[in-house]
């Protein structure tokens, strides 16, 4: 049998080449290319595709291969993000900034699942068992039946898990694991990919769910090869600003539930506590309506959430005005400013523009366009929007306002929190909805003229 040719892999970006070179042609880094050992050959006479598994009818729910039900942790925010509970044989990747609370969240989740009757093993490659116990005592989880271990050798970890057969295994973190058959340092592209592959394979083969903690880079991306996110079933990002006590667990990929679902937590001295009404929490520090403030009724996954957009417009002492955005897309802000100038005749030249989403929330849906425009105009004209008003709608490049999805859910959430007026695009599904004064606009020019008396 012909010997497999060697493969050389960049430890920075994961690009593969057939020969070694001092500089990676993909990312431009120097001295990052190393030789990767080829996969071991299988038994003689066996080739890929010769062995076929037995077909199972998809609707045969009484078959032995039918999936067991989900297990709820009784942490409603975590269960919501997972799609209704923990799915057996699933691989979940949890990523977030350093110190954001990933280990705290997973330790609380381990205790919650253990109290629900699951056998849980928590394996840390970053802390000693005594340190984990100290944190568990601080969180009031010392009585939870969770097995603790500290190890980084992947072979020893898989051997232990194979013997223990836990229902849930938590690996903290995937970047500290190392496989002795891969000739590279822990945390490298090859090691992370090999560890994620072995742990995901174990989850599928043994029926155990596996949580893996992932580090992130300075750009906010999960450290390691992108293929890790393709391997696992669910990718969760734990987000939050260090200056705020709010923490948001966001699902960016989920094979067993809706993507872009969020769970909201509050960091306290006793750990993370659930926030059952995030809209009230994000608006809790909102006082008397002030210029530059607009409340947006958004949708995160399946949940309506109200957040406050804050804008500040001030004369710029520089030749190039600043455009600073926190919690929203900077490119979309530039588009809104261009539409206001081209379609409504309201220039922002020579003015610094600052935009912030209060509470550390990150908003990505286009329905926030009208709320951003309202906050910018309110700050520029130094005129506050009408009290107890919510705003939402998408702005097109022509200046027209486009309806958005789930209009009724947005309005119901606003009404529940005491808002009495809503400004939204015309043509939305609002038939039969009462209890709020609805102001429908078909263009940005009409909105500017009626609300601010200009345009």
């Amino acid at each position: 049998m012909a010997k497999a040719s060697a493969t050389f892999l960049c430890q920075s970006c994961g690009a593969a080449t057939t020969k070694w070179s001092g500089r990676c042609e993909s990312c431009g880094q120097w001295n990052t290319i190393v030789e990767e050992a080829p996969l071991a050959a299988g038994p003689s006479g066996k080739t890929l595709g010769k062995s076929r598994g037995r077909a199972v009818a998809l609707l045969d729910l009484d078959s032995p291969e039918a999936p067991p039900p989900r297990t709820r942790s009784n942490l409603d925010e975590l269960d919501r993000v997972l799609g209704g509970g923990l799915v057996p044989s699933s691989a979940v990747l949890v990523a977030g900034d350093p110190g954001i609370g990933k280990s705290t969240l997973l330790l609380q989740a381990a205790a919650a699942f253990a109290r629900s009757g699951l056998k849980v093993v928590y394996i840390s490659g970053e802390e000693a068992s005594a340190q984990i116990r100290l944190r568990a005592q601080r969180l009031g989880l010392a009585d939870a039946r969770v097995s603790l271990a500290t190890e980084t050798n992947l072979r020893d970890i898989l051997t232990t898990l194979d013997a223990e057969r836990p229902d849930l295994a938590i690996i903290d973190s995937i970047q500290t694991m190392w496989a002795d058959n891969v000739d590279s340092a822990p945390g490298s592209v090859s090691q992370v990919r090999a560890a994620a592959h072995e742990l995901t394979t174990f989850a599928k083969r043994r029926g155990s769910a596996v949580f893996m903690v992932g580090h992130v880079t300075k750009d906010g991306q999960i450290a390691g090869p992108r293929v890790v996110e393709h391997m696992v079933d669910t990718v969760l990002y734990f987000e939050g600003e260090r200056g705020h006590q709010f923490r948001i667990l966001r699902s960016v990929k989920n094979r067993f539930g809706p993507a872009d679902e969020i769970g909201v937590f509050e960091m306290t001295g006793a750990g993370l506590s659930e926030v059952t009404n995030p809209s009230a929490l994000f608006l809790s520090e909102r006082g008397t309506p002030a210029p530059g403030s607009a409340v947006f009724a958004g949708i995160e996954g399946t949940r309506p959430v109200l957040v406050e957009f804050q804008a500040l417009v001030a004369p710029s002492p520089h030749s190039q005005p600043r455009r600073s955005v926190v919690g929203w897309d900077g490119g979309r802000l530039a588009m809104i400013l261009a539409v206001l100038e081209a379609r409504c005749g309201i220039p922002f030249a020579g003015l610094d523009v600052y935009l912030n989403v209060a509470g550390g929330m990150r908003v990505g849906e286009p329905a926030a366009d009208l709320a951003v425009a309202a906050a910018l105009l309110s700050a520029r004209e130094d005129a506050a929007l009408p009290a107890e008003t919510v705003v939402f709608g998408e702005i097109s490049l022509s200046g027209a306002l486009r309806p958005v999805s789930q209009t009724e859910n947005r309005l119901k959430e606003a009404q529940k929190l005491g808002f009495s007026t809503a400004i939204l695009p015309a043509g939305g599904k609002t038939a039969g909805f009462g209890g709020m004064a609805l102001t429908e606009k078909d263009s940005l020019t009409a909105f500017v003229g009626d609300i601010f008396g200009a345009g």
Side-chain angles (χ1 to χ4, degrees), residues 63-399:
S63 67
E65 292 82 2
R70 296 174 183 259
T71 302
R72 298 186 64 87
S73 66
N74 296 322
L75 293 175
D76 294 337
E77 295 299 302
L78 177 62
D79 293 335
R80 172 192 288 271
V81 175
L82 291 176
L86 182 65
V87 177
S89 303
S90 61
V92 182
L93 180 62
V94 182
D97 293 332
I100 204 69
K102 301 184 297 295
S103 299
T104 300
L105 173 66
L106 290 182
L107 187 58
Q108 292 184 229
F113 281 116
R115 288 167 180 164
S116 298
L118 298 187
K119 184 178 181 181
V120 182
V121 175
Y122 189 103
I123 300 175
S124 176
E126 302 177 346
E127 297 177 279
S129 298
Q131 294 174 315
I132 302 174
R133 290 194 188 96
L134 285 175
R135 185 166 1 107
Q137 291 175 357
R138 178 175 59 86
L139 300 176
L141 306 175
D143 60 337
R145 300 181 63 85
V146 177
S147 301
L148 300 178
T150 56
E151 184 56 66
T152 57
N153 190 313
L154 186 61
R155 188 184 301 273
D156 294 341
I157 291 173
L158 292 175
T159 302
T160 302
L161 294 179
D162 203 35
E164 293 291 332
R165 297 292 181 93
D167 299 307
L168 171 62
I170 298 177
I171 310 297
D172 186 8
S173 65
I174 190 66
Q175 274 80 15
T176 60
M177 302 295 114
W178 66 279
D180 51 17
N181 62 329
V182 178
D183 295 330
S184 58
S188 62
V189 172
S190 300
Q191 289 284 3
V192 172
R193 182 174 59 183
H197 171 71
E198 293 293 341
L199 290 169
T200 303
T201 303
F202 170 82
K204 304 302 180 184
R205 186 178 69 249
R206 297 303 187 192
S208 301
V210 176
F211 274 75
M212 294 175 278
V213 177
H215 297 168
V216 297
T217 62
K218 292 186 292 185
D219 299 331
Q221 301 294 323
I222 298 177
R226 192 78 183 206
V227 70
V228 173
E229 299 182 47
H230 295 279
M231 289 180 186
V232 298
D233 301 306
T234 304
V235 179
L236 307 179
Y237 274 86
F238 203 38
E239 306 170 350
E241 299 291 338
R242 290 184 179 273
H244 295 280
Q245 70 272 30
F246 312 134
R247 299 290 186 268
I248 299 171
L249 185 64
R250 185 185 302 273
S251 168
V252 298
K253 173 190 175 181
N254 194 349
R255 289 173 178 159
F256 312 114
D260 289 332
E261 188 67 85
I262 66 167
V264 184
F265 298 86
E266 183 178 7
M267 180 63 78
T268 65
L272 293 164
S273 62
E274 297 180 85
V275 177
T276 56
N277 191 347
S279 298
L281 185 63
F282 288 131
L283 299 178
S284 61
E285 300 178 358
R286 185 173 181 264
T288 304
S293 172
V295 177
F296 165 62
I299 296 290
E300 295 291 339
T302 60
R303 160 185 281 174
V305 178
L306 268 62
V307 294
E308 181 184 8
F309 275 90
Q310 300 171 343
L312 177 63
V313 177
S316 176
H318 308 288
S319 59
Q320 186 70 27
R322 294 193 62 181
R323 302 288 187 261
S324 180
V325 187
V326 177
W328 205 53
D329 183 18
R332 202 154 188 90
L333 172 63
M335 186 199 77
I336 299 299
L337 294 175
V339 172
L340 285 172
E341 183 168 359
R343 306 302 180 190
C344 303
I346 302 177
F348 284 83
L351 297 173
D352 288 336
V353 176
Y354 302 89
L355 184 69
N356 175 52
V357 182
M361 182 74 175
R362 295 184 182 274
V363 178
E365 59 172 333
D369 289 350
L370 190 58
V372 171
L376 292 172
L377 291 171
S378 173
R380 187 182 186 279
E381 302 298 327
D382 197 26
L385 287 170
E388 311 205 340
T389 301
V390 295
V391 186
F392 59 89
E394 182 181 354
I395 299 176
S396 64
L397 292 179
S398 64

